[in-house]
Amino acid sequence: MLFARDKISGLRADIVAQILTLSNVQYGSKCLVLDHNLGLITSAVTSRILPQGVCIQLLPDYEVLYTARKTMNMLNIREAEWPENVLSITIRDLYKIFKGLDNFEHEDSILQARADEQLSRLVKRFESLSPGTNDTTKRVKLDHADQDDQILKDIAKKDANRINRHRERALAAKHLKEHALDALILVVHNDHPLPLLKLLLPFIAPSRQFVIYSEISAPLIECQQFLKANSMAVSLQLSESRLRKYQVLPDRTRPEMNTTGFGGFLLSGIKAFHG
């Protein structure tokens, strides 16, 4: 899936390297990453910061978490080995933290109550089945038992995922409330980066670096103008990179005839103290 393509959603290998360099991701960094590229950027960041750093992956919803973690497993970054270093949180939950409306314990208690209610209904259903002695009744009861067993497994799996999600969300909230993250990386495609930048920039510490990637330059120009107008960042750079591969053969070393010139655009900068 990953190795059969030269680019993933417009990202080339050299663009990934530039993102990591411009954001100053290094050992022990605390990074906030919005990644719509199958978890590729998250995996690259995590491989640099471990074992002391923290990578908080920002998600549109928890449904896409499985794909990102699958990519990390493919790159030998095991989620179970770093339970406090690789975290995830949704944009909605982060907005609650931004507004000071986070009450995740209460939300988790509601979900737990719903799970308990579903489990109790399942137990009552199982107990309501009459024992019966004929073969037909036994087969019906056996079928119901198999279905109920599968439902119990699904409930247990969902409950484990909920507990793990609540743990990650609580740890992520703890780091975010410190407003001392070291790097911000936004890789956007269908979303406009400016509202996300306004929401996320306060969570990184002053004099820390941020990078925004977009396939088109217009949204990045708006972000650049906003940051300049409000004196929120310095050393702003809007760049486009081009990669040209070379054919290296005896007496035939030359640039390749066919190449892809487009590589997307990067806006990078350093957060100002009063930003």
Side-chain angles (χ1 to χ4, degrees):
M1 177 178 65
L2 294 178
F3 308 106
R5 302 180 181 179
D6 292 333
K7 298 190 296 183
I8 297 179
S9 300
L11 280 177
R12 295 193 308 256
D14 61 305
I15 298 293
V16 175
Q18 289 186 58
I19 290 174
L20 296 177
T21 301
L22 293 173
S23 59
N24 195 31
V25 174
Q26 54 187 311
Y27 175 84
S29 296
K30 295 181 180 180
C31 306
L32 180 59
V33 181
L34 175 63
D35 179 12
H36 290 169
N37 293 274
L38 306 176
L40 178 64
I41 300 297
T42 304
S43 302
V45 170
T46 304
S47 65
R48 280 199 176 191
I49 65 174
L50 292 178
Q52 295 295 327
V54 175
C55 179
I56 302 175
Q57 184 182 11
L58 192 60
L59 306 169
D61 55 67
Y62 286 110
E63 298 297 328
V64 301
L65 180 61
Y66 172 76
T67 303
R69 297 298 166 86
K70 185 177 180 180
T71 303
M72 296 176 65
N73 289 333
M74 290 175 60
L75 298 175
N76 294 324
I77 303 174
R78 306 300 178 187
E79 176 186 359
E81 297 177 4
W82 315 104
E84 297 185 0
N85 303 87
V86 183
L87 309 173
S88 60
I89 191 170
T90 62
I91 297 176
R92 184 182 65 177
D93 289 337
L94 188 140
Y95 182 76
K96 292 178 181 178
I97 296 173
F98 180 76
K99 290 294 186 179
L101 302 175
D102 54 300
N103 190 7
F104 300 141
E105 289 77 9
H106 178 65
E107 295 178 7
D108 188 64
S109 63
I110 294 176
L111 293 176
Q112 180 64 47
R114 291 177 181 174
D116 293 341
E117 182 181 355
Q118 184 179 6
L119 183 61
S120 64
R121 287 201 304 266
L122 185 62
V123 172
K124 290 179 180 179
R125 174 188 169 187
F126 183 77
E127 292 176 349
S128 65
L129 295 174
S130 58
T133 55
N134 58 68
D135 294 339
T136 303
T137 306
K138 289 181 179 179
R139 283 198 300 270
V140 170
K141 184 175 180 180
L142 184 61
D143 291 340
H144 280 291
D146 292 339
Q147 294 176 4
D148 293 342
D149 185 59
Q150 183 61 42
I151 294 174
L152 283 173
K153 290 180 180 179
D154 292 340
I155 292 176
K157 183 178 180 180
K158 290 181 180 179
D159 196 50
N161 291 337
R162 179 187 57 79
I163 294 173
N164 186 56
R165 184 167 65 243
H166 175 72
R167 178 190 60 80
E168 288 192 15
R169 185 170 58 177
L171 287 173
K174 177 183 176 182
H175 291 293
L176 290 167
K177 289 178 180 179
E178 295 175 355
H179 297 274
L181 299 181
D182 299 313
L184 171 63
I185 300 175
L186 301 180
V187 180
V188 296
H189 297 293
N190 298 324
D191 302 323
H192 198 293
L194 184 55
L196 293 170
L197 181 64
K198 293 179 181 179
L199 174 64
L200 303 178
L201 195 61
F203 291 104
I204 67 173
S207 299
R208 297 300 189 270
Q209 294 167 259
F210 60 88
V211 180
I212 309 172
Y213 170 85
S214 177
E215 295 181 3
I216 55 178
S217 60
L220 298 185
I221 293 175
E222 292 184 33
C223 293
Q224 186 180 35
Q225 292 174 345
F226 169 78
L227 293 170
K228 283 185 175 181
N230 294 277
S231 302
M232 299 179 68
V234 297
S235 300
L236 289 171
Q237 293 183 347
L238 179 59
S239 60
E240 178 188 12
S241 66
R242 180 180 179 184
L243 177 67
R244 183 133 195 201
K245 298 181 180 179
Y246 274 72
Q247 168 187 289
V248 180
L249 293 171
D251 300 325
R252 298 191 301 278
T253 299
R254 57 170 175 78
E256 290 187 357
M257 303 300 292
N258 298 322
T259 185
T260 302
F262 173 74
F265 299 87
L266 290 173
L267 175 64
S268 61
I270 301 174
K271 181 182 176 181
F273 270 96
H274 56 282

